Protein backbone atom coordinates (compact mmCIF):
# COMPACT_ATOMS: atom_id res chain seq x y z
CA UNK A 1 0.00 0.00 0.00
CA UNK A 2 3.03 2.31 -0.24
CA UNK A 3 2.10 5.55 -2.08
CA UNK A 4 -1.61 4.82 -1.63
CA UNK A 5 -3.80 7.41 0.05
CA UNK A 6 -6.71 5.97 2.06
CA UNK A 7 -9.49 7.76 3.94
CA UNK A 8 -11.34 5.87 6.67
CA UNK A 9 -14.43 7.46 8.23
CA UNK A 10 -15.25 6.66 11.85
CA UNK A 11 -11.59 5.76 12.31
CA UNK A 12 -11.28 6.69 15.99
CA UNK A 13 -12.77 3.51 17.38
CA UNK A 14 -14.19 0.05 16.66
CA UNK A 15 -13.91 -1.44 13.18
CA UNK A 16 -12.70 1.86 11.69
CA UNK A 17 -9.73 2.10 14.06
CA UNK A 18 -8.74 -1.51 13.33
CA UNK A 19 -9.02 -0.77 9.60
CA UNK A 20 -6.92 2.39 9.83
CA UNK A 21 -4.26 0.58 11.89
CA UNK A 22 -3.94 -2.23 9.37
CA UNK A 23 -3.67 0.16 6.42
CA UNK A 24 -1.06 2.15 8.35
CA UNK A 25 0.89 -1.03 8.98
CA UNK A 26 0.77 -1.77 5.25
CA UNK A 27 2.47 1.56 4.52
CA UNK A 28 -0.44 3.60 3.15
CA UNK A 29 -0.96 7.27 3.97
CA UNK A 30 -4.06 6.94 6.16
CA UNK A 31 -6.39 9.87 6.65
CA UNK A 32 -8.48 9.21 9.72
CA UNK A 33 -11.82 10.94 9.65
CA UNK A 34 -13.48 11.68 12.97
CA UNK A 35 -15.46 14.39 14.67
CA UNK A 36 -12.89 16.30 16.75
CA UNK A 37 -9.19 17.07 16.88
CA UNK A 38 -8.94 15.36 20.30
CA UNK A 39 -10.33 12.15 18.81
CA UNK A 40 -7.91 12.42 15.90
CA UNK A 41 -4.94 12.83 18.28
CA UNK A 42 -6.08 9.82 20.34
CA UNK A 43 -6.39 7.82 17.13
CA UNK A 44 -2.86 8.76 16.08
CA UNK A 45 -1.59 7.65 19.50
CA UNK A 46 -3.49 4.36 19.33
CA UNK A 47 -2.10 3.57 15.87
CA UNK A 48 1.47 4.74 16.57
CA UNK A 49 1.66 2.72 19.82
CA UNK A 50 1.65 -0.35 17.55
CA UNK A 51 3.03 1.11 14.34
CA UNK A 52 5.30 4.07 15.19
CA UNK A 53 6.07 4.83 11.55
CA UNK A 54 2.47 4.91 10.34
CA UNK A 55 1.92 7.76 7.89
CA UNK A 56 -1.17 9.56 9.25
CA UNK A 57 -3.30 12.59 8.63
CA UNK A 58 -6.76 13.53 9.81
CA UNK A 59 -9.90 15.12 8.42
CA UNK A 60 -12.65 16.37 10.69
CA UNK A 61 -16.39 16.34 10.17
CA UNK A 62 -19.60 15.49 11.89
CA UNK A 63 -21.04 13.32 9.14
CA UNK A 64 -24.60 14.12 10.16
CA UNK A 65 -24.02 17.57 8.64
CA UNK A 66 -23.93 17.90 4.86
CA UNK A 67 -22.19 21.25 5.25
CA UNK A 68 -19.39 19.67 7.27
CA UNK A 69 -19.04 16.81 4.77
CA UNK A 70 -18.69 19.28 1.90
CA UNK A 71 -16.18 21.41 3.86
CA UNK A 72 -14.06 18.38 4.81
CA UNK A 73 -14.03 17.16 1.21
CA UNK A 74 -13.07 20.63 -0.04
CA UNK A 75 -10.11 20.71 2.37
CA UNK A 76 -9.01 17.27 1.16
CA UNK A 77 -9.32 18.33 -2.49
CA UNK A 78 -7.03 21.28 -1.75
CA UNK A 79 -4.46 19.21 0.06
CA UNK A 80 -4.31 15.99 -1.96
CA UNK A 81 -3.81 15.21 -5.63
CA UNK A 82 -5.53 11.82 -5.46
CA UNK A 83 -7.38 9.39 -3.22
CA UNK A 84 -6.95 5.65 -3.81
CA UNK A 85 -9.30 4.20 -1.21
CA UNK A 86 -12.34 5.67 0.51
CA UNK A 87 -13.76 3.54 3.30
CA UNK A 88 -17.22 4.72 4.32
CA UNK A 89 -17.15 3.02 7.70
CA UNK A 90 -18.75 5.48 10.15
CA UNK A 91 -22.15 4.40 11.33
CA UNK A 92 -24.53 4.86 14.18
CA UNK A 93 -27.61 3.43 15.89
CA UNK A 94 -30.27 5.53 17.59
CA UNK A 95 -33.10 4.25 19.78
CA UNK A 96 -35.20 7.35 19.34
CA UNK A 97 -36.20 9.49 16.41
CA UNK A 98 -34.35 12.73 15.83
CA UNK A 99 -33.47 14.87 12.82
CA UNK A 100 -30.16 16.31 11.69
CA UNK A 101 -29.60 19.99 10.95
CA UNK A 102 -30.52 19.15 7.33
CA UNK A 103 -33.87 17.73 8.45
CA UNK A 104 -33.16 14.02 7.91
CA UNK A 105 -33.57 11.13 10.33
CA UNK A 106 -30.17 10.60 11.94
CA UNK A 107 -29.38 7.01 10.90
CA UNK A 108 -30.51 7.75 7.35
CA UNK A 109 -28.24 10.82 7.28
CA UNK A 110 -25.13 9.28 8.89
CA UNK A 111 -25.30 5.71 7.59
CA UNK A 112 -26.53 6.36 4.04
CA UNK A 113 -26.57 10.01 2.91
CA UNK A 114 -23.09 10.71 4.33
CA UNK A 115 -21.34 7.96 2.28
CA UNK A 116 -23.40 8.96 -0.77
CA UNK A 117 -22.43 12.65 -0.50
CA UNK A 118 -18.84 12.17 0.66
CA UNK A 119 -18.10 9.80 -2.21
CA UNK A 120 -19.54 12.33 -4.67
CA UNK A 121 -17.47 15.17 -3.19
CA UNK A 122 -14.27 13.10 -3.37
CA UNK A 123 -14.73 11.86 -6.94
CA UNK A 124 -12.30 14.48 -8.31
CA UNK A 125 -9.58 12.86 -6.14
CA UNK A 126 -10.68 9.24 -6.65
CA UNK A 127 -10.64 9.62 -10.40
CA UNK A 128 -6.95 10.63 -10.21
CA UNK A 129 -6.05 7.19 -8.82
CA UNK A 130 -5.13 4.30 -11.12
CA UNK A 131 -7.17 1.87 -9.01
CA UNK A 132 -9.78 3.84 -7.05
CA UNK A 133 -11.92 1.90 -4.57
CA UNK A 134 -14.99 2.95 -2.60
CA UNK A 135 -15.78 0.58 0.24
CA UNK A 136 -18.98 1.05 2.23
CA UNK A 137 -19.50 -0.83 5.46
CA UNK A 138 -23.01 -2.27 5.45
CA UNK A 139 -24.39 -5.16 7.50
CA UNK A 140 -26.40 -8.35 7.20
CA UNK A 141 -29.09 -6.32 9.01
CA UNK A 142 -29.97 -5.17 5.50
CA UNK A 143 -31.62 -8.57 4.94
CA UNK A 144 -34.46 -7.31 7.18
CA UNK A 145 -34.49 -3.89 5.55
CA UNK A 146 -36.83 -2.14 3.18
CA UNK A 147 -36.53 1.35 1.67
CA UNK A 148 -39.65 3.17 2.87
CA UNK A 149 -39.90 5.46 -0.13
CA UNK A 150 -43.10 6.99 1.21
CA UNK A 151 -41.28 8.09 4.40
CA UNK A 152 -37.51 7.33 4.42
CA UNK A 153 -37.19 9.41 7.57
CA UNK A 154 -39.58 6.97 9.24
CA UNK A 155 -41.15 9.94 10.97
CA UNK A 156 -44.49 8.10 11.12
CA UNK A 157 -43.20 4.69 12.20
CA UNK A 158 -39.75 5.06 13.72
CA UNK A 159 -38.00 2.10 15.24
CA UNK A 160 -34.22 2.05 15.69
CA UNK A 161 -33.81 -1.41 14.15
CA UNK A 162 -36.04 -0.54 11.18
CA UNK A 163 -34.07 2.65 10.54
CA UNK A 164 -30.74 0.83 10.87
CA UNK A 165 -31.77 -2.00 8.53
CA UNK A 166 -33.08 0.50 5.97
CA UNK A 167 -29.82 2.49 6.05
CA UNK A 168 -27.68 -0.64 5.69
CA UNK A 169 -29.83 -1.81 2.75
CA UNK A 170 -29.25 1.62 1.21
CA UNK A 171 -25.46 0.97 1.47
CA UNK A 172 -25.79 -2.18 -0.65
CA UNK A 173 -28.10 -0.54 -3.21
CA UNK A 174 -25.75 2.47 -3.42
CA UNK A 175 -22.73 0.25 -4.04
CA UNK A 176 -24.47 -1.57 -6.84
CA UNK A 177 -26.03 1.46 -8.50
CA UNK A 178 -22.71 3.33 -8.22
CA UNK A 179 -21.15 0.56 -10.26
CA UNK A 180 -23.95 0.68 -12.84
CA UNK A 181 -23.79 4.46 -13.30
CA UNK A 182 -20.06 5.20 -12.98
CA UNK A 183 -18.32 6.60 -16.03
CA UNK A 184 -14.82 5.35 -15.25
CA UNK A 185 -14.22 1.59 -15.68
CA UNK A 186 -11.41 1.43 -13.10
CA UNK A 187 -13.54 2.98 -10.34
CA UNK A 188 -14.79 0.18 -8.10
CA UNK A 189 -17.37 -0.03 -5.32
CA UNK A 190 -17.71 -2.69 -2.62
CA UNK A 191 -20.26 -3.22 0.17
CA UNK A 192 -19.04 -5.03 3.28
CA UNK A 193 -20.61 -7.08 6.03
CA UNK A 194 -18.15 -7.06 8.96
CA UNK A 195 -20.13 -9.61 10.99
CA UNK A 196 -21.14 -9.21 14.60
CA UNK A 197 -18.33 -7.20 16.18
CA UNK A 198 -17.69 -6.28 19.83
CA UNK A 199 -17.87 -2.49 19.64
CA UNK A 200 -19.81 0.23 21.46
CA UNK A 201 -22.11 1.04 18.55
CA UNK A 202 -25.18 -0.14 20.43
CA UNK A 203 -24.35 1.76 23.61
CA UNK A 204 -23.83 5.31 22.42
CA UNK A 205 -27.30 6.59 21.56
CA UNK A 206 -29.50 3.88 23.01
CA UNK A 207 -32.10 3.76 25.75
CA UNK A 208 -31.42 1.48 28.74
CA UNK A 209 -33.03 -1.68 27.41
CA UNK A 210 -31.49 -1.40 23.93
CA UNK A 211 -28.04 -0.84 25.43
CA UNK A 212 -28.46 -3.85 27.68
CA UNK A 213 -29.57 -6.01 24.72
CA UNK A 214 -26.46 -4.91 22.74
CA UNK A 215 -24.18 -5.75 25.70
CA UNK A 216 -25.56 -9.29 25.70
CA UNK A 217 -25.60 -9.65 21.92
CA UNK A 218 -22.04 -8.48 21.36
CA UNK A 219 -20.70 -11.08 23.79
CA UNK A 220 -20.87 -13.50 20.86
CA UNK A 221 -19.14 -11.03 18.54
CA UNK A 222 -15.67 -11.01 17.04
CA UNK A 223 -12.90 -8.50 17.71
CA UNK A 224 -12.75 -5.23 15.75
CA UNK A 225 -9.55 -6.56 14.10
CA UNK A 226 -11.46 -9.58 12.77
CA UNK A 227 -14.41 -7.37 11.82
CA UNK A 228 -12.10 -5.15 9.77
CA UNK A 229 -10.60 -7.97 7.71
CA UNK A 230 -12.93 -7.73 4.71
CA UNK A 231 -12.56 -3.94 4.45
CA UNK A 232 -8.77 -4.30 4.61
CA UNK A 233 -8.80 -7.06 2.01
CA UNK A 234 -10.93 -5.00 -0.38
CA UNK A 235 -8.73 -1.94 0.14
CA UNK A 236 -5.47 -3.73 -0.49
CA UNK A 237 -5.84 -6.93 -2.48
CA UNK A 238 -4.86 -7.06 -6.15
CA UNK A 239 -7.35 -9.93 -6.60
CA UNK A 240 -10.38 -7.66 -6.29
CA UNK A 241 -9.19 -4.86 -8.55
CA UNK A 242 -12.15 -3.93 -10.75
CA UNK A 243 -14.48 -6.50 -9.15
CA UNK A 244 -17.12 -3.89 -8.54
CA UNK A 245 -20.69 -3.54 -7.26
CA UNK A 246 -20.91 -6.64 -5.06
CA UNK A 247 -21.59 -7.47 -1.41
CA UNK A 248 -18.72 -9.02 0.56
CA UNK A 249 -18.55 -11.08 3.74
CA UNK A 250 -15.47 -12.86 5.11
CA UNK A 251 -13.43 -11.67 2.11
CA UNK A 252 -15.83 -13.39 -0.29
CA UNK A 253 -18.70 -12.20 -2.44
CA UNK A 254 -22.11 -13.22 -1.23
CA UNK A 255 -25.64 -12.67 -2.44
CA UNK A 256 -27.26 -9.74 -0.68
CA UNK A 257 -30.89 -9.81 0.47
CA UNK A 258 -33.83 -9.81 -1.94
CA UNK A 259 -34.54 -6.11 -1.42
CA UNK A 260 -30.94 -5.33 -2.31
CA UNK A 261 -31.39 -6.91 -5.72
CA UNK A 262 -34.12 -4.62 -7.02
CA UNK A 263 -32.75 -2.50 -9.87
CA UNK A 264 -35.79 -0.28 -9.63
CA UNK A 265 -35.25 0.43 -5.92
CA UNK A 266 -31.55 1.06 -6.56
CA UNK A 267 -32.37 3.62 -9.21
CA UNK A 268 -35.18 5.26 -7.23
CA UNK A 269 -32.94 5.46 -4.15
CA UNK A 270 -30.19 7.05 -6.22
CA UNK A 271 -32.50 9.80 -7.53
CA UNK A 272 -33.90 10.43 -4.04
CA UNK A 273 -30.42 10.58 -2.48
CA UNK A 274 -29.20 13.03 -5.13
CA UNK A 275 -32.16 15.23 -4.33
CA UNK A 276 -31.63 14.98 -0.56
CA UNK A 277 -27.96 15.92 -0.98
CA UNK A 278 -28.59 18.68 -3.52
CA UNK A 279 -26.54 16.94 -6.21
CA UNK A 280 -27.38 17.66 -9.84
CA UNK A 281 -25.27 15.16 -11.73
CA UNK A 282 -23.38 12.71 -9.50
CA UNK A 283 -20.47 11.82 -11.78
CA UNK A 284 -20.09 15.15 -13.58
CA UNK A 285 -19.12 18.00 -11.28
N1 LIG B 1 -20.39 -3.76 15.41
C1 LIG B 1 -21.08 -4.58 14.64
O1 LIG B 1 -21.46 -5.71 15.04
C2 LIG B 1 -21.42 -4.18 13.24
C3 LIG B 1 -22.10 -5.11 12.44
C4 LIG B 1 -22.42 -4.77 11.14
C5 LIG B 1 -22.06 -3.53 10.63
N2 LIG B 1 -21.40 -2.64 11.43
C6 LIG B 1 -21.05 -1.35 10.84
O2 LIG B 1 -19.67 -1.12 11.03
C7 LIG B 1 -19.41 0.29 11.02
C8 LIG B 1 -18.51 0.64 12.20
O3 LIG B 1 -19.24 0.39 13.38
P1 LIG B 1 -18.58 -0.06 14.76
O4 LIG B 1 -19.27 -1.27 15.21
O5 LIG B 1 -17.11 -0.03 14.66
O6 LIG B 1 -19.11 1.13 15.70
P2 LIG B 1 -18.37 2.20 16.62
O7 LIG B 1 -17.29 1.57 17.39
O8 LIG B 1 -19.45 2.91 17.33
O9 LIG B 1 -17.70 3.15 15.52
C9 LIG B 1 -18.51 3.98 14.72
C10 LIG B 1 -17.67 5.11 14.19
O10 LIG B 1 -18.51 5.98 13.43
C11 LIG B 1 -18.34 7.31 13.93
N3 LIG B 1 -19.53 8.14 13.78
C12 LIG B 1 -20.79 7.89 14.18
N4 LIG B 1 -21.57 8.95 13.95
C13 LIG B 1 -20.77 9.89 13.37
C14 LIG B 1 -20.99 11.21 12.92
N5 LIG B 1 -22.19 11.82 12.99
N6 LIG B 1 -19.96 11.89 12.38
C15 LIG B 1 -18.73 11.34 12.31
N7 LIG B 1 -18.46 10.09 12.74
C16 LIG B 1 -19.48 9.39 13.27
C17 LIG B 1 -18.04 7.12 15.42
O11 LIG B 1 -17.50 8.29 15.95
P3 LIG B 1 -17.69 8.64 17.52
O12 LIG B 1 -16.70 7.78 18.26
O13 LIG B 1 -17.39 10.10 17.57
O14 LIG B 1 -19.10 8.30 17.89
C18 LIG B 1 -17.07 5.96 15.32
O15 LIG B 1 -15.81 6.42 14.95
C19 LIG B 1 -20.77 0.98 11.04
O16 LIG B 1 -21.10 1.40 9.74
C20 LIG B 1 -21.71 -0.13 11.48
O17 LIG B 1 -23.02 0.06 11.02
C21 LIG B 1 -21.07 -2.94 12.73
Amino acid sequence: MKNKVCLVTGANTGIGLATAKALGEKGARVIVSCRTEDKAEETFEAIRREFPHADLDYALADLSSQREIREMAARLREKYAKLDVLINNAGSWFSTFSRTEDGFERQWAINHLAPFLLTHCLLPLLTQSKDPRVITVSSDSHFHGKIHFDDVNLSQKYHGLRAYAQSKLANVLFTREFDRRKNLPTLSSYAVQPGLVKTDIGLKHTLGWHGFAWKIRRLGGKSPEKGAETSIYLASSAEVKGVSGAYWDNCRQKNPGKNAQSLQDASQLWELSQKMCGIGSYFNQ
Side-chain angles (χ1 to χ4, degrees):
M1 295 297 281
K2 281 256 182 304
N3 302 320
K4 296 264 185 182
V5 182
C6 305
L7 173 68
V8 183
T9 67
N12 56 295
T13 185
I15 300 165
L17 175 58
T19 307
K21 261 187 201 171
L23 294 174
E25 183 188 12
K26 287 177 186 292
R29 149 71 56 116
V30 186
I31 308 168
V32 302
S33 167
C34 44
R35 294 190 226 219
T36 64
E37 208 162 337
D38 283 352
K39 288 189 182 192
E41 296 295 347
E42 284 167 20
T43 308
F44 280 17
E45 276 173 36
I47 297 175
R48 290 207 169 116
R49 261 197 303 276
E50 288 178 51
F51 308 109
H53 302 296
D55 181 11
L56 304 174
D57 191 5
Y58 66 78
L60 303 180
D62 181 331
L63 299 171
S64 70
S65 159
Q66 296 195 357
R67 178 186 51 79
E68 290 201 23
I69 293 172
R70 288 181 187 280
E71 287 173 1
M72 177 176 81
R75 289 192 296 273
L76 289 167
R77 289 198 307 267
E78 278 201 0
K79 186 167 182 184
Y80 286 92
K82 64 156 187 169
L83 180 65
D84 299 286
V85 179
L86 166 60
I87 305 189
N88 290 310
N89 163 82
S92 211
W93 201 102
F94 289 82
S95 287
T96 52
F97 178 83
S98 65
R99 290 187 193 266
T100 64
E101 65 182 33
D102 302 303
F104 303 116
E105 185 280 315
R106 235 159 245 286
Q107 295 197 66
W108 183 248
I110 297 165
N111 299 356
H112 168 58
L113 292 178
F116 186 84
L117 176 59
L118 182 62
T119 305
H120 166 72
C121 293
L122 293 175
L123 281 173
L125 292 183
L126 287 161
T127 51
Q128 296 306 308
S129 167
K130 289 198 175 76
D131 178 14
R133 303 181 184 195
V134 177
I135 297 160
T136 303
V137 181
S138 176
S139 164
D140 268 4
S141 303
H142 89 267
F143 278 85
H144 313 293
K146 170 177 182 253
I147 307 293
H148 299 265
F149 284 108
D150 55 334
D151 176 24
V152 282
N153 288 305
L154 300 177
S155 57
Q156 303 303 315
K157 48 190 171 194
Y158 187 80
H159 186 288
L161 286 176
R162 187 179 296 137
Y164 185 75
Q166 172 179 255
S167 69
K168 293 290 139 181
L169 172 60
N171 293 154
V172 186
L173 290 166
F174 161 62
T175 295
R176 187 171 169 175
E177 189 67 2
F178 181 93
D179 180 58
R180 200 178 70 78
R181 294 190 183 221
K182 70 185 184 187
N183 51 11
L184 182 70
T186 51
L187 182 58
S188 297
S189 56
Y190 312 81
V192 173
Q193 137 77 348
L196 177 63
V197 186
K198 277 184 197 140
T199 68
D200 288 344
I201 191 167
L203 302 179
K204 292 177 175 172
H205 309 285
T206 39
L207 297 174
W209 164 248
H210 289 156
F212 178 71
W214 175 247
K215 274 189 184 158
I216 301 295
R217 188 163 145 62
R218 74 175 178 180
L219 287 175
K222 48 178 129 167
S223 67
E225 287 69 28
K226 277 269 165 213
E229 279 178 358
T230 305
S231 292
I232 297 159
Y233 170 70
L234 293 172
S236 58
S237 167
E239 287 169 15
V240 298
K241 183 175 174 181
V243 185
S244 180
Y247 185 60
W248 294 77
D249 184 6
N250 276 323
C251 302
R252 289 200 195 93
Q253 285 189 48
K254 108 171 177 188
N255 284 334
K258 193 165 144 274
N259 288 345
Q261 300 185 30
S262 163
L263 292 179
Q264 198 199 316
D265 281 8
S267 182
Q268 194 178 342
L269 174 66
W270 189 275
E271 299 301 330
L272 178 67
S273 307
Q274 284 205 147
K275 208 165 148 201
M276 289 180 148
C277 294
I279 297 169
S281 175
Y282 196 87
F283 289 99
N284 300 307
Q285 313 208 17

